[in-house]
């Protein structure tokens, strides 16, 4: 993460914030009016004590009271409106960024599933929204008036001013102390809650395996440990906040009484009027209110600030996709040159300087031992992982020249582990479209030879399935995944271990689907261990340790491999090494 990336992320967030600049200014103007109206109470006291009580005029009291009632009404209206504006600013901030944060989170998650920060993108956005719409932000608007009110008290009497400034300083010191004391606890709490949440979601998604392996108790203990830590941190953090909130509230009330006591003494000394005594006490309460509020709401402020920082990092690391000139539907011609791919978060390339070509109507088998880089190649070809070197061209254009949506349409993909999502079978085949095109769904299912299988399910294409699995067998899941790969008429289909769970009939159906796709001018890439999967392949690419060991017509490559292995065996036998 570079400073430049963080700066870009900060700038992006600030641009969205600036989109509500007018509303922020409106709140600022409202705050000036609200804080001027805060003087209503003290001024009323001054008038009552010094004018009404002195003159005994009931008419003056009624007139003053009417004015005060009106001013308080205005203050209430302004305060309420300011709060409403702030919550709308907050909602607008979230709405404007939701799409961007969702896609940035998804991109991060796809690139690096082990990076936990991806999941928090939306949470960070919510934390910022909560802060923007909270009374804490109103308190921040009121905070600049605190020193003004404190100086105002000094106008009544310098001693009162000294007490006010001293007391205010003590309260601010308490606030800063709270901030310093709460930060590490808040950070630890967020980390612990995150860990507990992730442990829980990992356990629930593997619930079946945990039960089958008799690991339920062990899983519970692990989750409980994570949860217990989070709970401990939560109690510690709340204790700190409650302690400081109580201390600051007590201090504020004490200061008001101290102000009253000092005022009373000054009245006795005939240096102050009774009205000024009461007014200064009220004014002090008003002056210190925002500080008090901020201490109470500090958790929210801290979450918001942290959310802002983390979101800036996420957005900086994941620049928004620039829209590209729409290219015509490509031919199924793939050209890969010197392709090097390093998995996210790793320093070592999983694929190095690999090259091959694929023409329309051809199928390429990619074989190699475990960890050879087959799935890495599939991820690079689907655009999920960006190459660190070399190029991938589809019909002459680099993959990066296509919009990711368009690329998803042109390149069908069956991942090694098929993952369905909550929805019906039809919605899953239609890649979660809200209104799946029935014809296209059925065509894809027929192409994958999954139509009859789907009709045999309780509600056919409308059978609900869940992301957590169930209902479907491994083979059925793979056939539905295959139908999804063929949905929307892709030009190239990439199948990662497509027959891992298929029986003979399934393998035959797969080969028929591949043949059909080639006949229609499409191309197919098959990452495979089992020989039956490469039956339809004209070409073969052999990977080993991320390097291209062989590439060419299938039978020629297989022949060379057999010859090589025979040579190795022979030389091994001659040296007495391998028997
Ligand atoms: N998400 C990932 N993060 C980091 N490294 C990864 C990731 N996925 C794969 N790798 C690494 O890349 C290398 C190639 O893995 P890849 O999954 O491409 O192999 P493969 O040939 O598909 O293996 P298999 O046949 O077992 O599926 C491995 O060394 C693996 O550790």
């Amino acid at each position: 993460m570079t400073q430049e990336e963080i700066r870009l992320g900060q700038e992006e967030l600030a641009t969205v914030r600036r989109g509500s600049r007018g509303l922020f200014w409106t709140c600022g103007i409202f705050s000036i009016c609200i804080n001027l109206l805060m003087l209503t109470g003290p001024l009323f006291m001054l008038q009552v004590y010094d004018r009404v009580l002195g003159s005994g005029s009931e008419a003056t009291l009624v007139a003053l009271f009417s004015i005060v009632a009106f001013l308080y009404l205005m203050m209430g209206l302004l305060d309420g409106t300011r709060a409403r504006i702030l919550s709308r600013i907050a909602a607008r901030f979230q709405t404007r960024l939701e799409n961007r944060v969702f896609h940035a989170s998804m991109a991060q998650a796809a690139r690096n599933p082990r990076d936990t920060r991806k999941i928090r993108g939306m949470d960070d956005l919510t934390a910022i929204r909560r802060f923007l719409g909270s009374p804490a932000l109103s308190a921040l608007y009121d905070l600049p008036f605190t020193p003004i009110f404190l100086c105002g008290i000094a106008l009544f009497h310098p001693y009162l001013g000294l007490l006010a400034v001293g007391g205010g300083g003590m309260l601010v010191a308490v606030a800063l102390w709270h901030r310093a004391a709460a930060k590490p606890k808040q950070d630890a709490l967020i980390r612990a809650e995150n860990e507990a949440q992730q442990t829980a979601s990992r356990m629930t998604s593997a619930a079946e395996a945990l039960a089958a392996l008799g690991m339920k108790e062990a899983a519970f203990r692990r989750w409980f440990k994570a949860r217990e830590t989070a709970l401990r941190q939560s109690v510690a953090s709340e204790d700190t906040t409650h302690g400081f909130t109580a201390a600051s509230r007590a201090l504020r009330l004490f200061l008001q009484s101290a102000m009253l006591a000092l005022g009373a003494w000054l009245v006795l000394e005939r240096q102050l009027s009774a009205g000024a005594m009461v007014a200064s006490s009220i004014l002090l309460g008003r002056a210190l209110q925002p500080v008090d509020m901020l201490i109470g709401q500090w958790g929210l402020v801290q979450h918001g600030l942290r959310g802002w920082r983390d979101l800036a990092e996420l957005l900086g690391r994941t620049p928004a996709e620039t829209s590209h000139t729409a290219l015509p539907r490509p031919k199924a011609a793939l050209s890969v040159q010197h392709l090097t791919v390093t998995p996210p978060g790793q320093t070592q390339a999983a694929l190095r300087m690999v090259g091959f070509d694929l023409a329309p109507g051809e199928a390429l088998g990619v074989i190699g031992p475990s960890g050879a880089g087959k799935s890495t190649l599939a991820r690079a070809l689907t655009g999920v992982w960006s190459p660190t070197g070399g190029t991938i061209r589809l019909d002459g254009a680099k993959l990066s020249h296509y919009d990711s949506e368009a690329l998803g349409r042109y390149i069908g993909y069956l991942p090694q582990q098929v993952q369905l999502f909550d929805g019906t079978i039809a919605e899953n085949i239609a890649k979660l479209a809200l209104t799946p095109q029935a014809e296209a769904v059925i065509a894809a299912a027929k192409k994958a030879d999954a139509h009859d299988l789907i009709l045999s399910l309780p509600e056919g294409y409308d059978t609900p399935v869940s992301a957590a699995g169930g209902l479907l067998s491994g083979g059925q899941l793979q056939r539905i995944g295959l139908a999804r790969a063929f949905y929307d008429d892709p030009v190239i289909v990439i199948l990662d271990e497509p027959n891992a769970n298929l029986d003979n009939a399934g393998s035959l159906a797969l080969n028929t689907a591949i043949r059909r796709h080639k006949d229609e001018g499409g191309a197919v890439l098959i990452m495979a261990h089992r020989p039956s999967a490469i039956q339809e392949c004209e070409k073969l690419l052999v990977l080993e340790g991320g390097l291209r060991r062989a590439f060419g017509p299938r039978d020629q490559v297989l022949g060379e491999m057999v010859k090589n292995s025979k040579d190795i065996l022979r030389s091994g036998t001659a040296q007495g090494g391998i028997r």
Side-chain angles (χ1 to χ4, degrees):
M1 184 84 218
T2 64
Q3 284 304 314
E4 178 59 12
E5 283 173 335
I6 296 177
R7 194 192 62 74
L8 284 176
Q10 299 271 18
E11 186 54 41
E12 191 173 346
L13 289 180
T15 308
V16 177
R17 189 192 56 202
R18 277 197 291 272
S20 299
R21 197 163 24 191
L23 290 176
F24 278 119
W25 275 109
T26 310
C27 286
I29 293 166
F30 275 33
S31 301
I32 294 174
C33 300
I34 291 166
N35 281 282
L36 282 177
L37 288 169
M38 289 271 191
L39 298 174
T40 305
L43 287 177
F44 181 58
M45 284 300 153
L46 270 181
Q47 298 301 316
V48 168
Y49 275 86
D50 298 347
R51 188 170 293 186
V52 177
L53 295 185
S55 68
S57 162
E58 288 181 10
T60 313
L61 181 62
V62 171
L64 281 175
F65 184 70
S66 309
I67 295 171
V68 162
F70 173 72
L71 292 179
Y72 272 128
L73 177 70
M74 292 310 294
M75 191 173 89
L77 281 175
L78 287 174
D79 209 7
T81 313
R82 181 178 66 172
R84 286 168 70 92
I85 295 176
L86 287 178
S87 60
R88 273 148 191 80
I89 290 177
R92 185 197 266 197
F93 187 84
Q94 175 153 350
T95 315
R96 290 200 176 162
L97 274 167
E98 249 160 4
N99 187 328
R100 169 82 173 98
V101 173
F102 179 82
H103 284 101
S105 306
M106 294 297 282
Q108 277 298 321
R111 271 185 224 152
N112 194 357
R114 287 171 218 165
D115 186 354
T116 55
R117 271 175 298 186
K118 72 193 189 267
I119 314 166
R120 293 224 320 265
M122 294 311 274
D123 291 348
D124 289 337
L125 188 57
T126 309
I128 300 173
R129 200 238 321 132
R130 284 215 184 110
F131 163 66
L132 288 177
S134 73
L137 190 56
S138 303
L140 276 177
Y141 267 111
D142 292 335
L143 201 58
F145 295 92
T146 294
I148 300 175
F149 286 161
L150 294 180
C151 293
I153 295 173
L155 291 180
F156 290 129
H157 195 283
Y159 284 1
L160 293 178
L162 275 178
L163 178 63
V165 172
M170 277 167 73
L171 215 61
V172 170
V174 170
L176 293 177
W177 186 11
H178 177 209
R179 189 189 151 159
K183 187 169 185 317
K185 291 186 181 165
Q186 282 276 345
D187 287 351
L189 171 63
I190 291 170
R191 267 199 309 277
E193 278 185 338
N194 218 19
E195 179 60 36
Q197 207 179 341
Q198 281 182 28
T199 309
S201 80
R202 277 196 296 264
M203 299 292 180
T204 20
S205 59
E208 197 180 303
L210 291 174
L213 292 167
M215 290 164 60
K216 275 196 302 193
E217 265 312 301
F220 170 73
R221 279 196 296 275
R222 268 180 190 260
W223 171 80
F224 186 70
K225 198 167 153 229
R227 194 64 227 141
E228 219 182 7
T229 314
L231 213 57
R232 232 185 359 258
Q233 298 293 357
S234 165
V235 171
S237 171
E238 277 166 13
D239 279 355
T240 311
T241 297
H242 289 155
F244 277 96
T245 308
S248 86
R249 189 147 301 154
L251 181 60
R252 186 161 70 98
L253 292 173
F254 168 75
L255 281 172
Q256 263 176 288
S257 296
M259 183 68 77
L260 215 51
L262 180 61
W265 178 73
L266 290 170
V267 172
L268 292 177
E269 293 289 312
R270 299 197 182 283
Q271 294 185 36
L272 194 71
S273 70
M277 173 189 78
V278 179
S280 56
S281 172
I282 297 176
L283 209 51
L284 183 73
R286 296 272 182 273
L288 301 183
Q289 208 173 4
V291 183
D292 205 25
M293 172 70 86
L294 276 175
I295 293 177
Q297 299 264 321
W298 195 248
L300 215 62
V301 179
Q302 199 126 349
H303 268 93
L305 292 176
R306 196 192 160 99
W308 184 277
R309 197 191 60 210
D310 288 354
L311 204 55
E313 261 191 56
L314 174 73
L315 299 183
R317 264 185 300 154
T318 327
E321 204 180 297
T322 45
S323 60
H324 301 91
T325 308
L327 294 170
R329 182 181 161 82
K331 285 204 292 288
L334 193 67
S335 161
V336 176
Q337 286 170 350
H338 310 299
L339 179 65
T340 300
V341 181
T342 308
Q346 303 294 303
T347 47
Q348 219 172 355
L351 214 56
R352 268 165 288 162
M353 303 293 281
V354 171
F356 62 87
D357 288 309
L358 194 62
E362 283 183 343
L364 167 71
V366 183
I367 58 170
S370 281
K374 304 183 293 294
S375 298
T376 302
L377 177 62
R379 290 187 185 112
L381 293 176
T382 49
V384 178
W385 286 0
S386 308
T388 28
T391 50
I392 305 171
R393 288 182 185 276
L394 175 61
D395 196 15
K398 281 189 193 171
L399 284 196
S400 54
H401 291 170
Y402 293 92
D403 275 333
S404 58
E405 280 289 303
L407 204 60
R409 260 199 328 275
Y410 299 142
I411 299 183
Y413 178 44
L414 173 72
Q416 199 167 9
Q417 273 156 4
V418 180
Q419 169 79 56
L420 294 187
F421 303 95
D422 293 344
T424 63
I425 297 267
E427 284 167 353
N428 269 282
I429 293 178
K431 299 181 180 174
L432 284 191
L434 287 175
T435 47
Q437 302 286 321
E439 273 173 34
V441 170
I442 293 171
K446 282 191 170 161
K447 201 165 175 184
D449 206 22
H451 182 65
D452 293 337
L453 158 88
I454 296 170
L455 290 184
S456 73
L457 294 172
E459 292 170 61
Y461 281 89
D462 300 319
T463 306
V465 286
S466 114
L471 187 72
L472 299 170
S473 73
Q476 289 172 328
L477 205 61
Q478 208 145 19
R479 301 261 287 268
I480 288 164
L482 191 63
R484 182 172 62 188
F486 280 119
Y487 179 76
D488 226 3
D489 213 9
V491 287
I492 293 184
V493 178
I494 298 170
L495 310 172
D496 197 352
E497 299 284 352
N499 61 351
N501 294 311
L502 297 182
D503 54 11
N504 271 345
S507 289
L508 282 176
L510 171 69
N511 286 340
T512 315
I514 295 171
R515 209 175 314 128
R516 256 187 234 152
H517 191 66
K518 289 194 300 182
D519 291 346
E520 288 167 8
V524 184
L525 260 107
I526 306 156
M527 282 69 191
H529 277 134
R530 286 165 62 178
S532 59
I534 55 167
Q535 216 166 308
E536 286 300 323
C537 298
E538 291 78 14
K539 287 180 171 172
L540 205 57
L541 169 68
V542 184
L543 293 178
E544 211 180 294
L547 293 170
R548 179 180 118 168
R549 280 282 165 246
F551 170 67
R554 183 190 65 188
D555 295 336
Q556 186 188 321
V557 172
L558 280 179
E560 275 171 18
M561 281 173 68
V562 171
K563 184 172 164 289
N564 285 347
S565 59
K566 275 185 185 157
D567 287 349
I568 292 168
L569 266 179
R570 235 191 332 269
S571 65
T573 316
Q575 292 160 17
I578 304 170
R579 287 175 208 285

